[in-house]
Amino acid sequence: MQLLAAKIDRFLETSSWIRRMFEAGIELKRIHGPERVYDFSLGNPDLPPPPEVAAALHELADHLSQPPGLGYMPNAGYPEARERLAESLAREQKTPGLRGRHVVLTCGAAGGINAFFRAVLSPGDEVVCPAPYFVEYGFYADNAGAALKPVPARPGSFELDLDALDQSITADTRIVLVNSPNNPTGAVYSQGVLEGLAEILGRACRRHGRPVFLVSDEPYRFLTYDGVTVPPVLPLVPFSVVIGSFSKNLGLAGERVGYVAVNPEMPGEDRLVAGLVMTNRILGFVNAPAIGQRVMTAALGSEVDAGVYRRRRAVMADVLSQAGITFPMPKGAFYFFPRTPGGMDDTAFVDLLMRQRILAVPGSGFGCPGHFRLTFCVDERVIEASAEGFRSAVAAARAQGAD
Ligand SMILES: Cc1ncc(COP(=O)(O)O)c(C=O)c1O
C-alpha cells in the first residue's frame, strides 16, 4: 500500500546513502565500540557553546516569570533580537543602513532558505547554484515548486565558474544561491569573484526585466583559516539577501536560530520582508524558538573555540596527504572534499573506507562524483587514529586498478 506521496518515496531512495551511512555507523559502533569507528560523515558541530550561552540560559531561567516569558511573539522575532542582530550584521556586511526591520529571525538557516524560497519562487522558476552543493538545497527548491539548477564549479579549486554561471541564467532563473565558506568543499569566494558574479546578476536583471536575487547562505562565515576573509555580499547588488545562523558559531544547531537579512538598498525591500514574515508563519515555523533567540541576543559576538577546528584541519590534512589522497586545502568551514584515488567511483571508495571503519559521504550526493566528503567535527585523536585505515583503503583502491 502506498503510504507516501510518490515524490517523497523517490526522495527517500535518492538520498538513501545518508540513511545508509547513519545506519552503518550505528552498526559499526555496536560491533567494534564507538572509539574504534572513525565517523567523518556528519556535519554536527561537537564543540560546546561559549560560556556566554550558559550564562544567558541561567539568566533566562531566573527571570522566566517576567515578560516576555516564552509565549508567542511577532512572527519576525523579538524586536530586541532583530535590532541587535541588525547592528552586528550592518558591521559584518558593511551596510550601515541595515536595521532591525530588515531582519527576520528564522528556524536556522534552513528555515530561512525555505522562507525566502517560498516568498519569491513560483512553479517553473529555477535556482542556480554552484555544484557541489549542500544536498538539501534541491529539496528546498522543490518545496517551493521550483527546480535547482546546479552549475559545476571549477574543477580542483571549486572556485565559481563565472562563465558557466552566466550561461546558465535564463528567463526562469529567480535566484543564484552561493554558500561561502562552502559545504562540502571549504571554498571561500574572493571579493573579485563575487564582484564578477554581481555584474552577471545585474545584467541578467536588466535582460529579463525582473530581479535575479543573490542569496548568500553563510552559516560558516565565522570559520576561516590562514587569514582568509569572507567578503560581504550586500554591497554588491541591491537584490541580495544574507541567510545565516548560530548553529555553528554558538554551537546552537539544535536550538534552531537563524535569520534572513534583506538588503536595505533593494527596491521594495519592506514588501519582501512582509513576504518573509508571512512565509515563516505559513510554513508552520511561526517564529524562531524563543529561548534560542534570547540566548543568541545575549551571546552575540562570542563564539565557539575555532582554534580547535584549526588544529583538526591540520591533523586531517596530514593524515590524508600521508595516505596519498589529494584535496584542495579548505579555506573555511569544517569539511575536506578530496578526490577519490585515481578518480575511482566515489561510492565504491566510500565502501572501501567503511571496511576500515571510516565513515565518509560520496561526492555524488553533493552533485560531484569522483570525490568524497569528510567532516572534522570529531576529536583530533579520532582523526589521528584513522590514519592507518585511510592508508589501507587507498592501497585496496590501487589494488583494484585505481592509481
Ligand atoms: C551550507 C549549509 N546551509 C545551511 C545549513 C543549515 O543549517 P542550520 O539550519 O542549522 O542553520 C547547513 C547545515 O549544515 C549547511 O551546511
Side-chain angles (χ1 to χ4, degrees), residues 287-337:
N287 55 252
I291 295 175
Q293 285 191 52
R294 291 175 65 181
V295 167
M296 176 280 285
T297 310
L300 202 60
S302 57
E303 59 187 41
V304 298
D305 179 3
V308 176
Y309 288 124
R310 244 161 244 134
R311 289 191 293 279
R312 291 174 178 177
R313 169 180 173 263
V315 174
M316 189 168 256
D318 270 356
V319 164
L320 296 176
S321 305
Q322 279 165 25
I325 292 172
T326 56
F327 54 87
M329 193 66 171
K331 294 182 180 158
F334 40 57
Y335 306 100
F336 278 79
F337 199 64

Side-chain angles (χ1 to χ4, degrees), residues 46-373:
D46 61 324
L47 299 189
E52 287 81 353
V53 167
L57 281 168
H58 283 298
E59 173 75 15
L60 181 58
D62 288 344
H63 297 95
L64 257 196
S65 55
Q66 292 167 19
L70 295 178
Y72 287 123
M73 69 190 76
N75 299 114
Y78 288 118
E80 195 201 340
R82 297 175 78 191
E83 289 299 335
R84 293 283 312 283
L85 183 53
E87 279 168 26
S88 154
L89 290 173
R91 284 191 298 275
E92 195 170 275
Q93 287 291 326
K94 299 202 179 359
T95 305
L98 193 75
R99 298 283 180 275
R101 67 175 188 280
H102 302 118
V103 176
V104 177
L105 272 301
T106 58
C107 291
I113 300 168
N114 274 285
F116 183 77
F117 280 11
R118 184 80 169 95
V120 305
L121 293 173
S122 303
D125 283 342
E126 291 170 352
V127 178
V128 164
C129 86
Y133 57 91
F134 178 52
V135 66
E136 304 298 83
Y137 289 160
F139 300 120
Y140 299 165
D142 182 85
N143 286 344
L148 191 75
K149 191 173 177 184
V151 176
R154 288 191 181 286
S157 67
F158 300 115
E159 267 295 345
L160 296 183
D161 184 338
L162 291 181
D163 290 339
L165 284 168
D166 196 8
Q167 280 159 27
S168 69
I169 296 175
T170 68
D172 293 326
T173 306
R174 191 76 164 135
I175 292 172
V176 173
L177 170 61
V178 293
N179 163 227
S180 171
N182 187 270
N183 173 10
T185 66
V188 174
Y189 307 135
S190 68
Q191 177 75 26
V193 164
L194 289 171
E195 280 170 7
L197 180 62
E199 253 180 67
I200 291 169
L201 292 187
R203 275 203 307 274
C205 286
R206 288 192 293 278
R207 192 164 65 239
H208 299 298
R210 69 170 188 166
V212 178
F213 294 96
L214 175 59
V215 176
S216 183
D217 176 26
E218 318 193 329
Y220 305 96
R221 170 175 274 277
F222 77 106
L223 190 56
T224 58
Y225 309 103
D226 305 331
V228 168
T229 52
V230 184
V233 297
L234 292 188
L236 294 171
V237 266
F239 290 105
S240 55
V241 302
V242 171
I243 298 180
S245 79
F246 301 91
S247 293
K248 329 283 175 183
N249 66 345
L250 288 181
L252 289 182
E255 198 41 40
R256 314 305 304 134
V257 192
Y259 57 86
V260 181
V262 173
N263 193 337
E265 300 295 322
M266 186 187 301
E269 95 286 1
D270 49 351
R271 189 77 180 152
L272 176 57
V273 173
L276 288 168
V277 175
M278 173 89 187
T279 53
N280 199 34
R281 188 185 100 211
I282 65 174
L283 284 169
F285 298 127
V286 182
N287 55 252
I291 295 175
Q293 285 191 52
R294 291 175 65 181
V295 167
M296 176 280 285
T297 310
L300 202 60
S302 57
E303 59 187 41
V304 298
D305 179 3
V308 176
Y309 288 124
R310 244 161 244 134
R311 289 191 293 279
R312 291 174 178 177
R313 169 180 173 263
V315 174
M316 189 168 256
D318 270 356
V319 164
L320 296 176
S321 305
Q322 279 165 25
I325 292 172
T326 56
F327 54 87
M329 193 66 171
K331 294 182 180 158
F334 40 57
Y335 306 100
F336 278 79
F337 199 64
R339 269 165 46 81
T340 56
M344 181 183 196
D345 174 83
D346 47 329
T347 4
F349 185 64
V350 162
D351 273 337
L352 290 180
L353 287 172
M354 210 185 304
R355 281 184 218 166
Q356 302 299 326
R357 305 185 307 280
I358 294 174
L359 301 181
V361 180
S364 316
F366 304 95
C368 193
H371 295 76
F372 58 104
R373 191 192 75 171

